[in-house]
Amino acid sequence: MTRSASCLCGATRYRWSGPVGEVVLCHCGQCRRANGGAFNVAVLADVADVRFEARDRLREYESSPGKYRAFCSGCGAPVYSRRDDLPDVLRLRGGLIDDLPAPREVIVSHRADGWDWLD
Ligand SMILES: [Zn+2]
Ligand SMILES: [Zn+2]
């Protein structure tokens, strides 16, 4: 099954044909700041399963050595993150994907760093 994904302005679009395996909900301070929200939703994808249809405005920010957070420079939407030491993996930002179904596994990461009042 192929799913489509788009940023807020539509300048960054891709199609993803992989299975919906692991989703990581990360509450760490970097992810909160990168997303402006309580946590990040990272959908693990094989880089070979992601086909960009539009990426002219895609930019990458190196948030720590060898780790890059990609965003759309048109609207600021986070798009994915990737690491030099895991070249086959993209961590897609779940909010961009149309009709994301329940994944096989949900992993909550750095929960103790997140807001303690959030259920
Ligand atoms: Zn955009
Ligand atoms: Zn994080």
Side-chain angles (χ1 to χ4, degrees):
M1 165 145 193
T2 300
R3 297 179 176 80
S4 23
S6 171
C7 68
L8 184 59
C9 76
T12 304
R13 295 189 308 277
Y14 65 84
R15 295 177 72 77
W16 173 43
S17 56
V20 185
E22 287 178 22
V23 169
V24 181
L25 310 181
C26 187
H27 294 253
C28 84
Q30 276 205 352
C31 284
R32 290 202 316 274
R33 288 182 177 89
N35 290 277
F39 54 86
N40 179 56
V41 180
V43 181
L44 271 64
D46 192 314
V47 70
D49 293 335
V50 178
R51 182 151 307 153
F52 276 89
E53 298 174 311
R55 61 181 305 165
D56 291 352
R57 307 202 71 170
L58 194 63
R59 301 290 182 270
E60 289 188 340
Y61 169 68
E62 190 171 9
S63 60
S64 45
K67 176 167 182 174
Y68 303 86
R69 293 173 184 265
F71 60 97
C72 175
S73 63
C75 64
V79 179
Y80 64 78
S81 65
R82 67 177 180 85
R83 292 165 52 148
D84 278 343
D85 58 350
L86 294 171
D88 297 333
V89 178
L90 290 182
R91 293 174 170 241
L92 305 172
R93 298 311 184 233
L96 278 63
I97 302 168
D98 294 337
D99 303 320
L100 183 67
R104 180 172 46 77
E105 187 177 3
V106 176
I107 297 163
V108 176
S109 182
H110 292 87
R111 182 63 187 89
D113 297 344
W115 299 334
D116 56 9
W117 50 264
L118 188 72
D119 246 344

